[in-house]
Amino acid sequence: MQRTLTIIKPDGVKKNIIGEVISRFERNGLRIAALKKIKLSKDGAKGFYIVHKERPFYESLTDFMSEGPIVVMVIEGENAIYRVREIMGATNPADAQIGTIRKDFADDIERNIVHGSDKPESAAFEIPYFFSQIEIL
Ligand code: GDP
């Protein structure tokens, strides 16, 4: 059993597809272990994406991630990190496979609807960034 941190980004919330995105995870046998709707400050977004601080898109990405509400979730299941990323599709929707969330809904490489931890070490940083132990069930 593995846990991963997943986010429906501000573009996904604006497009009113929270339920659609969650359904795709649930239909694939994954379980929502924790969930809440919040709004990140600019500093909150910068802290979350600290690994990207040297990237040219860091400012733009953290502006985007703090522009409106997001839904943060802990998703649980066997091999959850890999499976969530498969359901999400490639970072750039132009490269994403048909039937993935990003192919179906994302506007571009930045506004790409969802986030999912890329490896266990990332999940170990990202889950406690948003959730305390007693919120994960
Ligand atoms: P992910 O693991 O698929 O989310 O991709 P990354 O960890 O590489 O990047 C984190 C997030 O930064 C992505 O989901 C996008 O929102 C954004 N991003 C990635 N690459 C680019 C880029 O080349 N340009 C811009 N503007 N944003 C990007």
Side-chain angles (χ1 to χ4, degrees):
M1 198 57 74
Q2 193 174 54
R3 284 175 174 169
T4 183
L5 192 280
T6 302
I7 303 177
I8 304 175
K9 297 182 180 183
D11 54 339
V13 173
K14 253 179 220 151
K15 287 180 187 217
N16 213 23
I17 53 168
I18 294 171
E20 170 67 28
V21 170
I22 292 174
S23 281
R24 289 184 181 212
F25 296 127
E26 289 186 333
R27 280 205 300 271
N28 278 276
L30 293 157
R31 217 179 58 77
I32 310 300
L35 179 147
K36 59 190 170 192
K37 188 180 191 183
I38 59 164
K39 185 176 180 298
L40 281 174
S41 63
K42 173 77 172 172
D43 281 348
K46 285 172 102 170
F48 179 73
Y49 276 120
I50 194 74
V51 292
H52 292 316
K53 67 177 189 302
E54 308 300 341
R55 302 281 200 96
F57 56 82
Y58 184 59
E59 273 305 314
S60 169
L61 172 62
T62 51
D63 278 346
F64 162 51
M65 289 300 290
S66 56
E67 77 178 25
I70 60 173
V71 173
V72 288
M73 292 174 273
V74 177
I75 294 186
E76 189 175 75
E78 209 172 300
N79 211 10
I81 291 174
Y82 175 80
R83 284 165 66 199
V84 162
R85 289 181 66 86
E86 277 232 314
I87 296 163
M88 284 167 33
T91 308
N92 188 344
D95 302 330
Q97 289 194 14
I98 289 166
T100 60
I101 293 168
R102 284 167 166 171
K103 186 64 165 189
D104 290 349
F105 300 111
D107 291 333
D108 56 52
I109 193 169
E110 181 172 278
R111 303 181 74 86
N112 60 5
I113 307 286
V114 274
H115 166 85
S117 310
D118 65 348
K119 52 181 187 290
E121 298 73 31
S122 307
F125 166 76
E126 293 173 1
I127 291 171
Y129 196 84
F130 292 109
F131 294 100
S132 67
Q133 201 62 51
I134 57 165
E135 293 177 300
I136 305 168
L137 302 161

